[in-house]
Amino acid sequence: MAGDGWSESEWLLHDLGDMLRDIQLTITQCAPFVEHPLEEDDIRPRTKPPAVVVAESKREQSSVDSKALHAQERSELMALVTGDQSKN
């Protein structure tokens, strides 16, 4: 393992992909025959390392959990306000 959950070959492919993206951007920005140079958003996004993906998924999961908790608290408060005992 090379670190961050990827093998050495996965890191090499990641770095090669980044280099190819940079070359593609450079060529389209410097070539005189290109009418509209590419920008970052026009080409494939960079591959995120596993550590970043895991951190983002944990953040997203905690956001979903907090939304569910807030929805439950809201429904309990509405049940108290309206006097609806079937919600408790």
Side-chain angles (χ1 to χ4, degrees):
M1 286 294 216
D4 281 337
W6 278 0
S7 67
E8 186 173 343
S9 62
E10 289 170 320
W11 276 110
L12 290 172
L13 286 173
H14 173 263
D15 293 344
L16 181 62
D18 281 352
M19 285 182 231
L20 290 173
R21 289 180 85 255
D22 293 341
I23 290 170
Q24 185 180 14
L25 284 172
T26 302
I27 289 172
T28 60
Q29 290 173 352
C30 297
F33 56 84
V34 175
E35 293 179 21
H36 303 287
L38 295 177
E39 296 180 11
E40 279 288 323
D41 298 336
D42 296 330
I43 59 176
R44 180 181 62 84
R46 295 185 188 277
T47 305
K48 297 177 183 176
V52 173
V53 173
V54 168
E56 287 176 352
S57 66
K58 285 182 182 178
R59 193 175 327 121
E60 189 175 295
Q61 182 63 32
S62 68
S63 173
V64 169
D65 291 344
S66 67
K67 286 180 182 179
L69 179 62
H70 289 147
Q72 180 183 359
E73 290 174 350
R74 270 194 309 275
S75 65
E76 290 172 358
L77 287 173
M78 285 304 292
L80 286 173
V81 169
T82 60
D84 186 4
Q85 298 301 321
S86 63
K87 300 270 184 184
N88 290 337

